[in-house]
Amino acid sequence: MEVSNNYITMKGHIDGKPKEDDFGIKASQLSLSVEPGSNHIIVKNLYVSIDPFQINRMKSFSSLQESAKFAPDLTPDKVIDAYGVGKVVASGNTDFEKDDLVVGLLIWGEYSVLKGEYWLSKLDPMGFPLSYHVGILGMSGLTAYSGFFEVCKPKKGEKVFVSAASGSVGNLVGQYAKLFGCHVVGCAGSKEKVAFLKEKLGFDDAFNYKEVTDLKATLKSGVIAEYTDAGKRAAPNMLDVVYKSITIQGFLLGDYFHIFQDFVTTTSDHLRAGNMQAIECISTGLNSIPQAFIGLFRGDNIGKTIVKIADE
Amino acid sequence: MEVSNNYITMKGHIDGKPKEDDFGIKASQLSLSVEPGSNHIIVKNLYVSIDPFQINRMKSFSSLQESAKFAPDLTPDKVIDAYGVGKVVASGNTDFEKDDLVVGLLIWGEYSVLKGEYWLSKLDPMGFPLSYHVGILGMSGLTAYSGFFEVCKPKKGEKVFVSAASGSVGNLVGQYAKLFGCHVVGCAGSKEKVAFLKEKLGFDDAFNYKEVTDLKATLKSGVIAEYTDAGKRAAPNMLDVVYKSITIQGFLLGDYFHIFQDFVTTTSDHLRAGNMQAIECISTGLNSIPQAFIGLFRGDNIGKTIVKIADE
């Protein structure tokens, strides 16, 4: 059986904020079969993750390029890989069978053709919607969990401030911090988001960083703005860092995969007990990917941005 | 017995780089006796420390003022307190006797009159020059020791980069790091300093940050420049911090006084064994204090800047 496989591409490198015109859709003929004995897999994509960090892979030149090799630069007119959940339609790899649900690195397209080295695991949905495994039980969740518990190493009762608190990771950091017994304050970029944080997620306090004028730049800047505007760096005052004994620690998720199982167990228990909420912003259809992505940089989203590409 | 006690003052608040004219010298009549039963102490100052952080206490307005309360703002025409070594000339405090050598918070003046709460300890010179107890065996040494061992928590063989490496603290961080078995690279602001680091202190490599053009701002900026020029902040690129999993940690010495004895034992052992060197830049006479202080911001000094005020 042969299908036309539609996928999203960028037309050229993207500097500054992304816009609709930066993206295109291409199609290629795809035979839904693989050679027996190969390790190839064809996955029908169901839900894909829309993440701000992808913009760094789309830039024509970035001071980050060398260091950003953990996720290689993207090439115009080629497929754009992204985390997602799908279903195996054909497999030459004996670890996977047709109709297996899988999670891993797919593409912003209808089908992912996986060859050589790929990152794919069988998925047990554990009774949760598949989209949860893209967000709250996926990489966003693990980022929040490892960042909060492993990097910040909080103590009960401590005060926690979350920047970009209504975003995919921020809202989960806030939820973990509340459950852990911290006093949680968040900032976000609209009064709707602020209300959401306080009323729906139980943040102790929240404010709109665009309306606050008497805080230091570090606190004022929504971090998302930094992705596309180098002039808006939330650079800390290094003397403040010294005088206030502040620790700033960057981390990459790749260093925390070893706690994935612990994270999933804890988080799914919280979800079942009704202690945590999956905040999702799901649009439908491959064509909605560019707008979903662009929306991240406009501040459209609350929670995890996901595109549903197909029904199971 | 009454003497004329000369002391250094600032004439007004100082913004930008300090200059000779910013400072004055005042005198007050001082009776070299204290009321019995009071806790007052009069100390004849012998060596005082000249530290760049003092500039933050001299500014008319600083975003740091609130956070910098660990060392209160200085007032024009008043005494300027500073770490130093001296000798007790009169004491109402039974813990101190006349002729005791002491170390603690004195003033940039000939005599320190200590009343109320003060920070003073008896000093055992342990056979070392008194000036060592102002620098390598004093707060500069403890800053280097606690910063390197307690904050950085190095592992043998790791690469260590030291900014302002020829300064009072930087040169000691480099020396500790070499002794600990690290690969040490330093930057400083002149070719003489670079040569000094490599040839006298055994740094594995060193460079003049003023002559290097292909490094990131973070690495390029000598930190001393930040004290007086807000436009020269060595602000890190926060995306680099994330992508390279960098940790930036500010600390204050006050949190590490509990390891003082450990630090002194370790460092004095190294000094006796000839494994460490006290790099000092000592000028003589109270009048030399303003130039010694100003020189810090011109990059004049190599090692610890100290002013000898009187002979023992």
Side-chain angles (χ1 to χ4, degrees):
Chain A
M1 181 186 169
E2 198 162 87
V3 297
S4 174
N5 181 26
N6 293 297
Y7 55 92
I8 301 294
T9 63
M10 58 174 191
K11 293 180 187 167
H13 290 291
I14 302 172
D15 296 301
K17 287 196 181 188
K19 48 192 192 307
E20 183 86 35
D21 191 46
D22 290 326
F23 298 94
I25 189 160
K26 294 188 76 170
S28 61
Q29 288 304 108
L30 177 65
S31 167
L32 296 184
S33 62
V34 296
E35 265 183 61
S38 75
N39 75 332
H40 302 178
I41 303 178
I42 297 175
V43 175
K44 182 186 175 191
N45 305 328
L46 303 176
Y47 291 88
V48 291
S49 182
I50 311 295
D51 297 291
F53 83 88
Q54 299 272 26
I55 195 73
N56 286 330
R57 310 174 63 197
M58 298 175 179
K59 292 174 183 171
S60 57
F61 173 78
S62 160
S63 63
L64 292 167
Q65 281 184 329
E66 200 193 347
S67 56
K69 286 280 159 56
F70 78 96
D73 291 343
L74 293 168
T75 307
D77 299 324
K78 301 290 184 190
V79 297
I80 296 169
D81 54 293
Y83 194 72
V85 167
K87 195 174 207 172
V88 173
V89 292
S91 173
N93 179 329
T94 53
D95 292 341
F96 296 89
E97 289 182 16
K98 186 170 185 307
D99 292 334
D100 278 350
L101 284 170
V102 289
V103 63
L105 204 59
L106 306 177
I107 67 160
W108 283 355
E110 292 174 312
Y111 293 89
S112 301
V113 180
L114 307 177
K115 298 179 178 178
E117 292 201 357
Y118 40 78
W119 173 29
L120 199 72
S121 308
K122 281 206 227 189
L123 174 66
D124 171 6
M126 302 183 295
F128 295 111
L130 291 182
S131 60
Y132 280 30
H133 298 280
V134 176
I136 192 169
L137 295 172
M139 293 302 106
S140 304
L142 183 60
T143 302
Y145 189 86
S146 57
F148 183 63
F149 290 108
E150 301 287 316
V151 180
C152 290
K153 297 187 179 71
K155 295 187 186 70
K156 196 172 167 173
E158 283 186 323
K159 292 192 173 71
V160 173
F161 170 71
V162 186
S163 181
S166 70
S168 58
V169 175
N171 90 82
L172 297 175
V173 171
Q175 292 192 65
Y176 286 128
K178 280 306 299 174
L179 285 169
F180 189 70
C182 291
H183 180 91
V184 181
V185 178
C187 83
S190 74
K191 65 171 189 280
E192 292 74 19
K193 289 176 179 177
V194 168
F196 181 84
L197 294 175
K198 292 200 277 195
E199 289 157 26
K200 302 289 184 188
L201 292 186
F203 277 51
D204 295 290
D205 206 350
F207 63 90
N208 180 350
Y209 69 85
K210 293 177 182 169
E211 290 178 355
V212 171
T213 55
D214 61 348
L215 283 176
K216 297 273 173 68
T218 311
L219 207 55
K220 269 161 67 178
S221 302
V223 169
I224 195 75
E226 298 198 17
Y227 274 109
T228 55
D229 185 350
K232 276 192 186 164
R233 296 243 178 272
N237 177 328
M238 294 307 285
L239 290 182
D240 262 356
V241 169
V242 173
Y243 280 89
K244 297 183 180 176
S245 297
I246 290 169
T247 298
I248 297 171
Q249 186 168 349
F251 71 102
L252 290 172
L253 195 54
D255 296 325
Y256 295 93
F257 285 162
H258 62 283
I259 62 165
F260 187 81
Q261 199 48 57
D262 168 50
F263 146 70
V264 165
T265 302
T266 303
T267 309
S268 55
D269 285 351
H270 282 317
L271 282 167
R272 285 194 196 94
N275 295 330
M276 287 186 79
Q277 303 173 54
I279 313 302
E280 301 178 316
C281 184
I282 304 181
S283 58
T284 302
L286 184 71
N287 291 345
S288 72
I289 286 179
Q291 274 304 330
F293 182 64
I294 292 161
L296 294 174
F297 302 94
R298 268 198 314 248
D300 289 356
N301 62 308
I302 290 189
K304 176 67 187 175
T305 300
I306 297 169
V307 169
K308 178 180 179 179
I309 293 179
D311 280 314
E312 195 181 330
Chain B
M1 182 187 169
E2 198 162 86
V3 297
S4 173
N5 181 26
N6 293 297
Y7 55 93
I8 301 294
T9 63
M10 58 174 192
K11 294 180 186 166
H13 290 290
I14 303 172
D15 296 300
K17 287 196 182 188
K19 47 191 192 308
E20 181 86 35
D21 190 47
D22 291 326
F23 297 94
I25 190 161
K26 294 188 75 169
S28 61
Q29 288 304 107
L30 177 65
S31 165
L32 297 183
S33 61
V34 297
E35 266 181 61
S38 75
N39 74 334
H40 302 179
I41 303 178
I42 297 175
V43 175
K44 182 186 177 194
N45 304 328
L46 303 176
Y47 291 89
V48 292
S49 182
I50 310 295
D51 297 291
F53 83 88
Q54 299 271 26
I55 195 73
N56 287 330
R57 309 174 62 197
M58 298 175 179
K59 293 175 183 171
S60 58
F61 172 78
S62 160
S63 63
L64 293 168
Q65 281 184 329
E66 201 192 349
S67 56
K69 287 281 158 57
F70 78 96
D73 291 342
L74 293 168
T75 307
D77 298 325
K78 301 289 183 191
V79 298
I80 295 169
D81 54 294
Y83 194 72
V85 167
K87 195 174 207 172
V88 173
V89 292
S91 173
N93 181 330
T94 53
D95 292 341
F96 297 89
E97 289 181 16
K98 187 169 184 306
D99 292 334
D100 277 350
L101 285 170
V102 289
V103 63
L105 204 60
L106 306 177
I107 68 160
W108 283 356
E110 292 174 312
Y111 293 89
S112 301
V113 180
L114 307 176
K115 298 179 179 180
E117 293 201 356
Y118 41 78
W119 172 29
L120 199 72
S121 309
K122 280 205 225 188
L123 174 66
D124 171 6
M126 302 183 296
F128 295 111
L130 291 181
S131 61
Y132 281 29
H133 298 280
V134 176
I136 192 170
L137 294 172
M139 294 302 107
S140 303
L142 183 60
T143 303
Y145 188 86
S146 58
F148 183 64
F149 290 108
E150 301 288 315
V151 180
C152 290
K153 295 187 180 70
K155 295 188 187 68
K156 196 172 167 171
E158 283 187 323
K159 292 191 172 70
V160 172
F161 170 71
V162 186
S163 181
S166 70
S168 59
V169 174
N171 90 81
L172 296 175
V173 171
Q175 293 192 63
Y176 285 128
K178 280 306 299 175
L179 285 169
F180 190 69
C182 292
H183 180 91
V184 181
V185 177
C187 83
S190 73
K191 66 172 188 281
E192 291 73 20
K193 289 177 178 177
V194 167
F196 181 83
L197 295 175
K198 291 200 278 195
E199 289 158 25
K200 303 287 184 189
L201 292 185
F203 276 52
D204 294 290
D205 206 351
F207 62 90
N208 180 350
Y209 70 84
K210 293 176 181 168
E211 288 177 356
V212 171
T213 55
D214 61 348
L215 284 176
K216 296 274 173 67
T218 310
L219 206 56
K220 269 161 66 180
S221 303
V223 169
I224 195 75
E226 299 198 17
Y227 274 108
T228 55
D229 185 349
K232 276 193 187 161
R233 294 243 178 274
N237 177 328
M238 294 306 285
L239 291 182
D240 262 356
V241 169
V242 173
Y243 279 91
K244 296 183 180 175
S245 297
I246 290 168
T247 298
I248 298 170
Q249 186 168 348
F251 71 101
L252 290 172
L253 194 54
D255 296 327
Y256 294 93
F257 286 163
H258 63 283
I259 61 167
F260 187 81
Q261 199 48 56
D262 168 51
F263 145 71
V264 165
T265 303
T266 303
T267 308
S268 55
D269 285 351
H270 282 316
L271 283 167
R272 284 196 197 93
N275 295 330
M276 287 186 78
Q277 303 172 54
I279 313 300
E280 301 178 316
C281 183
I282 304 182
S283 57
T284 302
L286 184 71
N287 292 346
S288 72
I289 286 179
Q291 274 305 330
F293 182 64
I294 291 162
L296 293 175
F297 303 95
R298 268 198 313 248
D300 289 355
N301 62 308
I302 290 189
K304 176 67 186 176
T305 301
I306 296 169
V307 170
K308 178 180 177 178
I309 294 179
D311 281 312
E312 195 181 330

